[in-house]
């Protein structure tokens, strides 16, 4: 029976098999990332509870939320999803098209909605 | 971890055909491509949410003021429940990556244990989300609108089929969130309530007590679409779990199927990280 999930000529996954010592090393990294993600989430929630929107600190907090989210996303993609261990070419094939497209989408979204907001404020009765 | 991917292979051999130049199997690469397209969908939804919010000229609801309840408890616990949901998803992501790691050691017992725990975590998340939706739809005290188009927020909810006088300590708040915010009690509050045009409580697709209709619509669509992904992920995990129990991957010689569903499961966690920030925190 021909199955597409069977690896016939190339044996990449089978090659990825590792021994107990290597596994210990990987688990150590997993636990490190777990603690890191938990700490960042706790900090985010604490900031969200104690810093109110519209206060002087808010813009700093808002951008730090976005920065912390990107750090969390980076660890999930590169460590949990092992993209960091893949070949460089695959990394770029996954990340570059996505990044270009989303930066463009963000740009037009922010520009247009800000403009729309201005117009509505101006012509509101 | 990906042994083959870290090997130094001559470029002409790598790109000369007859092998994957990325040193990944067909299935894994296609899972990655699918996840990129899915990530674009979710990004589109979140950008659309940001667009609606940025263009809106009134006051947009704030996460910690909308989501501040815990099941079975009274009081104000801003964001605690959402934080709990986030932790559930992070922990189930960790158990998944441990299952993948056990798979690389051909440790069937380890895969069974960690994948099983991942499925349990998935069910916990789905249950939490069901409660949150229910709470969001039923809402809290709500507000009334009067014939002069003013909004008065209730301090205590008036249950269906009851009148204001049935509720002990009935009071209304006028000019909510503004400088001249004030509380109205006694007969004036009761008569305002009796002359109301509309009593808005909770949320549906056309009106909600939290803010503009788009807010609830985006809540339902984004968290609903994410919840559907979690549901699909749990189903996939169960299917793979059955394969592990039957020893399918043991016979096949590798646990790559666990790795592939693992990718999907981590992606679900990844999306939640962004939903958490852009919908609840900011």
């Amino acid at each position: 029976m021909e199955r597409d999930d069977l690896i016939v000529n190339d044996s990449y996954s089978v090659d990825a098999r590792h021994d107990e010592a290597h596994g210990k090393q990987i688990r150590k990294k997993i636990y490190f990332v777990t603690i890191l993600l938990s700490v960042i989430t706790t900090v985010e929630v604490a900031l969200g509870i104690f810093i109110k929107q519209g206060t002087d600190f808010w813009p700093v907090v808002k951008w730090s939320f976005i920065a912390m989210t990107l750090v969390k996303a980076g660890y999930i993609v590169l460590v949990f999803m092992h993209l960091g261990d893949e070949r460089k070419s695959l990394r770029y094939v996954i990340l570059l098209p996505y990044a270009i497209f989303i930066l463009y989408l963000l740009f037009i979204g922010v520009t247009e909605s800000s403009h729309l907001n201005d117009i509505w404020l101006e012509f509101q009765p | 971890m990906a042994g083959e991917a870290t090997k130094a292979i001559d470029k002409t051999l790598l790109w000369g055909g007859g092998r994957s130049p990325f040193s990944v199997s067909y299935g894994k690469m296609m899972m990655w491509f699918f996840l990129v397209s899915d990530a674009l969908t979710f990004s589109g939804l979140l950008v659309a949410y940001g667009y609606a919010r940025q263009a809106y000229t009134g006051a947009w609801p704030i996460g910690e003021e909308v989501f501040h309840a815990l099941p079975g408890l009274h009081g104000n616990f801003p964001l605690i429940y959402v934080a709990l949901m986030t932790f559930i998803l992070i922990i189930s992501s960790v158990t998944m990556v441990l299952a993948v790691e056990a798979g690389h050691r051909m440790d069937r017992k380890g895969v069974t244990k960690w994948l099983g725990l991942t499925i349990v975590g998935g069910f916990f998340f789905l249950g939490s989300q069901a409660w949150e939706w229910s709470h969001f739809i039923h809402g809290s005290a709500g507000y009334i609108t009067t014939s002069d188009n003013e909004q008065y927020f209730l301090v205590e909810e008036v249950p269906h089929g009851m009148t204001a006088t049935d509720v002990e300590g009935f009071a209304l708040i006028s000019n909510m969130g503004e400088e001249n915010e004030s509380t109205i009690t006694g007969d004036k509050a009761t008569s305002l309530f009796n002359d109301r045009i509309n009593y808005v409580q909770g949320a549906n697709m056309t009106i909600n007590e939290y803010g503009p209709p788009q807010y609830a619509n985006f809540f339902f669509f984004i968290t609903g679409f994410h919840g559907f992904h979690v549901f699909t992920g749990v189903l996939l995990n169960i299917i793979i779990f059955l394969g592990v129990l039957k020893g399918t991957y043991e016979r096949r010689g590798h646990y790559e199927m666990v790795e592939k569903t693992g990718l999907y499961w981590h992606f679900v966690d990844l999306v939640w990280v962004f939903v958490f920030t852009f919908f609840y925190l900011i």
Side-chain angles (χ1 to χ4, degrees), chain B:
Chain B
M1 173 153 276
E4 181 78 4
T6 48
K7 273 184 201 159
I9 299 170
D10 187 35
K11 266 211 172 115
T12 48
L13 187 72
L14 202 58
W15 292 91
R19 76 189 307 292
S20 162
F22 302 120
S23 292
V24 288
S25 69
Y26 169 80
K28 200 162 133 185
M29 188 166 77
M30 287 305 135
M31 180 53 97
W32 267 112
F33 286 178
F34 163 68
L35 291 183
V36 168
S37 76
D38 220 12
L40 288 170
T41 310
F42 272 107
S43 312
L45 287 173
L46 283 173
V47 169
Y49 170 76
Y51 185 101
R53 183 177 176 168
Q54 172 74 9
Y56 189 67
T57 50
W60 194 265
I62 293 167
E64 73 238 31
E65 289 172 5
V66 177
F67 303 97
H68 56 70
L70 283 177
L73 288 173
H74 287 284
N76 194 28
F77 306 98
L79 296 175
I80 300 295
Y81 191 72
V82 196
L84 198 75
M85 285 168 73
T86 309
F87 276 117
I88 291 172
L89 214 50
I90 287 178
I91 296 307
S92 83
S93 218
V94 173
T95 55
M96 186 79 223
V97 81
L98 287 170
V100 174
E101 191 274 324
H104 281 294
R105 280 186 285 110
M106 297 301 287
D107 173 7
R108 187 169 154 188
K109 258 191 172 157
V111 178
T112 313
K113 177 175 81 179
W114 293 119
L115 196 57
L117 285 174
T118 308
I119 294 167
V120 172
F123 275 119
F124 263 103
F125 184 85
L126 285 174
S128 324
Q129 205 164 36
W131 184 84
E132 197 186 47
W133 268 54
S134 158
H135 190 263
F136 187 84
I137 291 167
H138 289 114
S140 49
Y143 69 84
I144 55 166
T145 42
T146 50
S147 53
D148 50 355
N149 218 8
E150 288 285 327
Q151 284 183 3
Y152 297 94
F153 282 80
L154 279 72
V155 175
E156 290 285 337
E157 101 175 288
V158 178
H160 192 71
M162 288 172 104
T163 58
T165 44
D166 297 335
V167 179
E168 210 175 310
F170 180 76
L172 294 170
I173 299 166
S174 65
N175 302 310
M176 183 74 153
E178 286 168 42
E179 271 181 26
N180 52 348
E181 181 181 313
S182 61
T183 311
I184 305 165
T185 50
D187 290 345
K188 197 179 171 214
T190 315
S191 69
L192 275 171
F193 184 78
N194 291 339
D195 295 340
R196 71 185 185 273
I197 292 177
N198 206 359
Y199 179 20
V200 180
Q201 206 185 4
N204 56 42
M205 294 305 273
T206 50
I207 197 161
N208 66 78
E209 65 169 80
Y210 312 106
Q214 297 100 306
Y215 178 72
N217 294 356
F218 273 113
F219 173 82
F220 290 134
F221 204 99
I222 294 176
T223 65
F225 199 50
H226 174 264
F228 182 64
H229 273 73
V230 178
F231 175 71
T232 320
V234 170
L235 281 188
L236 286 175
N237 284 348
I238 289 174
I239 293 168
I240 301 303
F241 187 65
L242 293 178
V244 174
L245 287 182
K246 282 173 69 184
T248 310
Y249 312 119
E250 197 75 24
R251 281 195 298 279
R252 195 177 288 175
H254 60 82
Y255 278 86
E256 212 203 27
M257 286 309 277
V258 179
E259 202 173 331
K260 280 184 270 192
T261 48
L263 283 178
Y264 183 76
W265 190 253
H266 291 130
F267 172 75
V268 168
D269 181 34
L270 182 69
V271 169
W272 184 255
V273 163
F274 281 90
V275 172
F276 179 61
T277 302
F278 292 108
F279 204 93
Y280 295 92
L281 287 180
I282 289 184

Side-chain angles (χ1 to χ4, degrees), chain A residues 13 15 17 27 69 87 98, chain B residues 7 43 105 253 256 277:
Chain A
S13 283
D15 262 28
R17 190 180 294 174
R27 281 200 295 277
T69 304
R87 212 163 260 289
Y98 178 78
Chain B
K7 273 184 201 159
S43 312
R105 280 186 285 110
E256 212 203 27
T277 302

Side-chain angles (χ1 to χ4, degrees), chain A residues 54-109:
Chain A
T55 53
D56 291 346
F57 274 121
W58 177 247
V60 183
V61 173
K62 187 168 85 177
W63 285 103
S64 69
F65 278 155
I66 294 172
M68 284 189 277
T69 304
L70 290 177
V71 170
K72 279 199 318 194
Y75 272 100
I76 290 174
V77 173
L78 296 178
V79 179
F80 280 6
M81 296 168 96
H82 310 305
L83 193 61
D85 303 322
E86 301 289 0
R87 212 163 260 289
K88 208 161 88 186
S89 49
L90 181 68
R91 241 166 16 223
Y92 285 132
V93 161
I94 303 297
L95 295 177
L96 266 188
Y98 178 78
I100 292 167
F101 208 82
I102 289 311
L103 286 176
Y104 171 65
L105 188 66
L106 273 174
F107 168 71
I108 52 170

